[in-house]
Amino acid sequence: MTDEAKKRFDRIIGPLASDPAVAGMARFVQHGRVTTLEHCLRVARLSWAIDQKLGLHSDPTALIRSALLHDFYLYDWHDKAAHPRWHGFHHARAAAMNARAHFRVTTREMDVIRSHMWPLNLTCPPRSREGWIVCLADKCCSLKETLFIR
Ligand SMILES: [Fe+2]
Ligand SMILES: [Fe+2]
C-alpha cells in the first residue's frame, strides 16, 4: 500500500477511533483474546487493503467508517444476560442503531453495518461495493482470530 493510502486511512479513521464510545469497544472481548475494538480496527485495515490492492474504488470514508463501526453493538456477547436474543442474528442491527445514535452516519454506512453478517442474515445482503468488502474482511478476520489467536 502506498504512503498516501496509509495516510488517507489514518485521516479517516482517526477522529472516529478516538471517540470515547468507539474506544469503549476495548472493554469487550470479540474472539479469543482480541477485543471488539481490535477486531473492528483489523476489519477496517483489511477492508481498505482489499480496496487498494484490487483497485475497487469504493468510497473511502464510507468503507473505513462502516468497517470500524460494524460491530459497535456495545455489550459482551459471551454474557447471555447482556443481550436478550441470538447475538449472531441481531448484533448487526444493534450496531447500526448505536452508530446512528452516536454519529452522523449515511444510509450507505448503515447498510454496510446492517448487512455484514450475510449470509447468516440471508434476507439482508450487502447492497454496495463497500458492503461486500466489509462482509468479506469481517469473515477473514473472524476466522483468523478464532483459529490462531487463542
Ligand atoms: Fe459482527
Ligand atoms: Fe465483526
Side-chain angles (χ1 to χ4, degrees):
M1 197 185 299
T2 65
D3 282 352
E4 184 47 47
K6 282 181 193 159
K7 279 185 199 156
R8 199 167 186 193
F9 179 84
D10 291 340
R11 267 200 307 273
I12 294 170
I13 206 162
L16 197 57
S18 60
D19 182 277
V22 172
M25 288 195 285
R27 285 177 290 151
F28 308 114
V29 169
Q30 188 77 2
H31 305 115
R33 267 179 269 144
V34 179
T35 69
T36 305
L37 178 62
E38 285 166 343
H39 167 75
C40 289
L41 288 168
R42 281 165 196 237
V43 172
R45 277 194 291 266
L46 182 58
S47 295
W48 183 233
I50 290 170
D51 176 82
Q52 293 297 295
K53 274 251 158 61
L54 303 181
L56 297 178
H57 302 289
S58 59
D59 175 332
T61 304
L63 178 69
I64 294 167
R65 280 166 53 91
S66 53
L68 181 61
L69 295 173
H70 82 279
D71 276 332
F72 189 53
Y73 49 81
L74 301 174
Y75 56 73
D76 176 7
W77 69 267
H78 304 83
D79 176 4
K80 287 198 168 60
H83 58 97
R85 298 183 294 175
W86 291 94
H87 170 74
F89 286 103
H90 297 288
H91 77 274
R93 197 181 172 81
M97 302 300 265
N98 283 341
R100 195 167 61 185
H102 282 83
F103 307 104
R104 213 176 272 174
V105 286
T106 64
T107 308
R108 185 182 300 197
E109 288 166 350
M110 285 288 283
D111 264 354
V112 174
I113 298 168
R114 248 190 316 238
S115 64
H116 82 267
M117 286 305 287
W118 188 87
L120 186 64
N121 288 344
L122 253 188
T123 56
C124 190
R127 291 194 286 188
S128 63
R129 199 170 299 186
E130 294 79 8
W132 286 108
I133 296 172
V134 171
C135 189
L136 174 68
D138 180 47
K139 276 151 193 72
C140 293
C141 290
S142 298
L143 186 67
K144 198 173 163 197
E145 287 161 11
T146 305
L147 292 180
F148 304 114
I149 316 182
R150 281 191 183 269

